[in-house]
Amino acid sequence: MANAQQRDFDFLVIGSGIAGLSFALKVCRYGTVAIITKKKSAESNTNYAQGGIAAVMSAEDSFESHIQDTLIAGAGLCKEDVVRAVVSEGPTIVRELAESGVHFTERENVREYDLGKEGGHTKRRVLHAGDITGREIERALLAAVSVEKNITVFEHLLAIDLITTQKLHQSGLNRCLGAYVLDEFSGEVIAFAVGVTLLATGGSGKVYLYTSNPDIASGDGVAMAYRAGATIANMEFIQFHPTCLYHPEAKSFLISEAVRGEGAVLLGKDGQPFMKKYHPMADLAPRDIVARAIDAEMKRTGVDCVFLDITHKDADFVRKRFPNIHAKCLEYGFDMTKEPLPIVPAAHYQCGGVVANVDGETDITGLLAAGEVACTGLHGANRLASNSLLEAVVVAERAARKAMLQKSGVRSQESELPSWQSGNAGNPDELVVVTHNWDEIRRLMWDYVGIVRTDKRLLRARARIQNLQREINQFYWDYKVTPDLIELRNLALVAELIVESALQRRESRGLHYTLDYPHALPAAYDTVLRKA
Ligand code: FAD
Ligand code: SIN
């Protein structure tokens, strides 16, 4: 018999982005599925994806070419078997998404998908739905989920921590039994007791002051998995997207790399292109190189932004190809068909995460991970543009097959989990401290753990984060938990993991560039962290 604060399901999916929804749609044929999501179900990084999903879809392209582009972008750290598996499943995945109701843009008068291009790709291979690909995918997957009787979606429920046998002091292999989840409105903490849990909580862009990510991206999944004893790898590889709109109210609105794919050029304050100085692929070089080049140009010339110019292209084409970006820029007073856009880099994607194989299996039994939260080895030291939506679906679907095959996929017996133990004090008056700490972490990560790093800055960041963590933990254990406090605690932990990983990497590779060790070491290695 379950106690009052316990819900029993066969599968628990934490997160309602592309990874969580894709997994749920597969496993729902084999058991009951709870999807919990901390805001409205559409609110996810997925919903903001612009450029599209990379897959080999044309006769001029080949798997080998997509594989090589991914390996080159990944700067020697990709797992080649994972790259091969993910890339080769691309066309099937795209067909399945289309069958689920995703409308990808087709070329005019031809029954073929329109294929975009982005940095690091040597061929056109990015399927897109206008410039709101993520919104279209999220819409279609949520619609598909809504008609599945075996799936229940719980909005405004925030996972606090995974429940594991280790935490319950049970002997044997560490096994995930579900999660403690906070109901944002009632303040009640519910134990979800399940056979298999999928972590699909996305990334951690909010660790940085400037980010293209929405507010949900506070790194909860990595923090929960770390606390539960899972291995975390390569967290230093934070991808900074080169082109976010520079405007005080635009919240780092993304200007898709597909704009450069259609011919846009980066200009310095003197109006001159500069990317040829940095890489033979110029404006379409891999993202780490472009972001670093912009950072160097801004520092060299002492300016706050550089510019992205597509005014040489036909204005009708630009409006039609990028309707959302064009309209958003107009809201901020910029007409991209007539003037170059002011842009700056911002934190965009977490390449590291919870170590998982290409089937989503982590080192905790019963815990799978897919999407941005997972580190499968596909991206290595730098993700190739539009490979993350692809990876999320491929790994989620393979994870679903594993979950269904595992006997543990369906609970064999109901078990009662201990209720959540909360601090006694009511909501703290000092909640302002939460906001202060949140701001301080984001600013110090931006200032000390940004595009260009040094050991001195990293050590300074570590000392400050450790101080903040002491304060946050005191709050956490003394007071009743709130969504803000839970996210702050996770944000601080993820910041710490990024800094620790960066300190472990004594070389520059891909997205991790340090003035102290400016070259790559001959042998590639992962930075691995596990709770002592
Ligand atoms: P998400 O889509 O982020 O979903 C995470 C879910 O988990 C959300 O529902 C969230 O609310 C929920 N969640 C988080 N923590 C908790 C918790 N504690 N409890 C309950 N729920 C929780 N990639 C591409 O391949 N192509 C692109 O064109 C592209 N464009 C992008 C543009 C932007 C502006 C951004 C921000 C990213 C872009 N990316 C792109 C990256 C890509 O969108 C993401 O990596 C991908 O969508 C991640 O999917 P996901 O399912 O792993 O996570
Ligand atoms: C973009 O449209 O530039 C984002 C693509 C990505 O992050 O993969």
Side-chain angles (χ1 to χ4, degrees), residues 308-315 318-319 326 330 333-341:
L308 184 69
D309 186 16
I310 193 162
T311 55
H312 51 285
K313 296 290 274 195
D314 176 65
V318 172
R319 276 191 289 267
H326 177 256
L330 276 183
F334 304 109
D335 184 345
M336 66 193 284
T337 67
K338 297 201 176 97
E339 62 197 317
L341 297 171

Side-chain angles (χ1 to χ4, degrees), residues 14-20 36-54 118 133 138 157-160 200-203 212-214 216 218 220-221 224 254 256 348-349 370-373 383 385-390 392 490:
I14 309 179
S16 57
I18 188 169
I36 62 158
T37 188
K38 65 180 176 179
K39 297 284 171 203
K40 298 286 282 178
S41 26
E43 194 53 9
S44 56
N45 273 5
T46 302
N47 204 41
Y48 296 86
Q50 294 183 353
I53 178 163
E118 291 181 53
T133 311
E138 192 68 21
L157 251 58
L158 182 140
I160 308 172
T201 46
S212 65
N213 291 192
I216 56 101
S218 49
D220 299 358
M224 285 189 284
L254 188 81
S256 175
H348 181 63
Y349 186 85
E372 195 166 335
V373 71
R383 175 180 65 100
S386 287
N387 263 359
S388 47
L389 293 175
L390 174 67
N490 291 335

